[in-house]
Amino acid sequence: MTDTSTILVVDDESDIRESLCAHLERSGFKAFSAASAADARQWLSSNQAALVLLDIMMPGEDGLSLCRHLREVDKTPVILLTALTEDTDKIVGLEIGADDYVTKPFNPRELVARIRAVLRRASDSEASGIGGAAVSFAGWVLNEEQSELTRKDGLVVTLSAGELSILKVFVEHIGEVLSRDDLMQHSRGRETLAFERTIDNVISRLRKKIETDAANPRIIKTVRGGGYRLVSSSD
């Protein structure tokens, strides 16, 4: 089992790495650092982190590429550290599976609060179970313990903690119309403003993973003026 106190900080700026690690250590975490995506990959090949703090703008392989890789092979939560101010740039990170983002310069106390919130959600997702069994819907089977979806033809896709949190709410209320506020309250609550602003993007990521045609969804449907609804069959 992953040590829930271990944080990996990935940033090419040494002063940021050092100050972040020092603050995390003072806040009760075990902090390790990597100066590049390559260093992070090497560290993760023989160690486990409870969460990765990942800078987007790095020379060589950037943080978005590493985040995409982590989502493909692992379900370790990721918080992006970004100096970018455009919402579209932040959304890209969330669309590829990051659990949250923090814009530089950031308040260290806020960052720690966000870390604890993401870790709490990940822990809740790992510990909980829907009736203690896999749940089937629209040709997919959700294995919450593994954060995986398996399609009837055998295709397996991995879910981020945020995607799992939202999908869990949908399957627990299958067929019901859920507003964005419903989804927030049932999954994460109002712990982060980032989540409130990007609820649609989490659903967009889910659609790309489970829909035959994400532009014309038949599983997670948009209800005009009401929110979203998960159907039991895509037929």
Side-chain angles (χ1 to χ4, degrees), residues 175-186:
E176 298 179 26
V177 177
L178 299 170
S179 67
R180 292 168 181 81
D181 194 60
D182 291 332
L183 292 166
M184 284 190 293
Q185 295 298 337
H186 286 299

Side-chain angles (χ1 to χ4, degrees), residues 144-188:
E144 188 178 350
E145 183 177 349
Q146 298 297 321
S147 296
E148 290 180 347
L149 279 169
T150 303
R151 200 166 62 187
K152 57 187 177 182
D153 63 0
L155 174 68
V156 176
V157 297
T158 301
L159 301 172
S160 70
E163 292 162 356
L164 177 62
S165 181
I166 288 294
L167 188 57
K168 179 176 180 289
V169 176
F170 273 125
V171 299
E172 289 177 338
H173 299 83
I174 197 162
E176 298 179 26
V177 177
L178 299 170
S179 67
R180 292 168 181 81
D181 194 60
D182 291 332
L183 292 166
M184 284 190 293
Q185 295 298 337
H186 286 299
S187 57
R188 303 183 175 188

Side-chain angles (χ1 to χ4, degrees), residues 19-147:
S19 62
L20 263 179
C21 286
H23 187 79
L24 290 169
E25 294 278 357
R26 289 194 298 271
S27 300
F29 294 101
K30 298 175 184 177
F32 297 87
S33 66
S36 66
D39 288 347
R41 285 175 183 261
Q42 182 176 0
W43 189 91
L44 290 166
S45 68
S46 55
N47 300 276
Q48 284 188 307
L51 182 143
V52 177
L53 287 176
L54 179 56
D55 183 38
I56 289 181
M57 302 297 290
M58 295 188 294
E61 182 182 7
D62 64 20
L64 293 178
S65 174
L66 179 58
C67 181
R68 187 179 295 109
H69 168 73
L70 292 175
R71 288 285 69 83
E72 291 173 352
V73 303
D74 202 346
K75 57 183 180 181
T76 302
V78 175
I79 294 180
L80 295 175
L81 302 176
T82 173
L84 303 175
T85 57
E86 293 295 329
D87 285 343
T88 52
D89 293 318
K90 299 169 185 175
I91 288 169
V92 168
L94 293 164
E95 285 183 337
I96 64 175
D99 295 277
D100 201 351
Y101 68 84
V102 176
T103 303
K104 298 177 181 178
F106 48 81
N107 183 313
R109 292 181 63 185
E110 178 189 357
L111 177 60
V112 168
R114 287 177 179 267
I115 289 171
R116 295 192 193 283
V118 170
L119 289 175
R120 182 163 57 250
R121 294 194 296 268
S123 177
D124 289 346
S125 295
E126 182 178 342
S128 63
I130 306 172
V135 176
S136 300
F137 66 93
W140 290 92
V141 176
L142 171 63
N143 184 326
E144 188 178 350
E145 183 177 349
Q146 298 297 321
S147 296

Side-chain angles (χ1 to χ4, degrees), residues 91-92 94-97 159-160 162-163 166-167 170 180 183 195 197-217 220-222 228:
I91 288 169
V92 168
L94 293 164
E95 285 183 337
I96 64 175
L159 301 172
S160 70
E163 292 162 356
I166 288 294
L167 188 57
F170 273 125
R180 292 168 181 81
L183 292 166
F195 183 69
R197 291 197 301 269
T198 59
I199 186 78
D200 294 337
N201 293 296
V202 177
I203 292 173
S204 175
R205 288 181 352 229
L206 282 171
R207 283 173 167 167
K208 290 176 182 178
K209 292 185 176 183
I210 69 176
E211 300 278 3
T212 301
D213 180 1
N216 298 285
I220 301 177
K221 295 188 174 183
T222 300
Y228 298 96

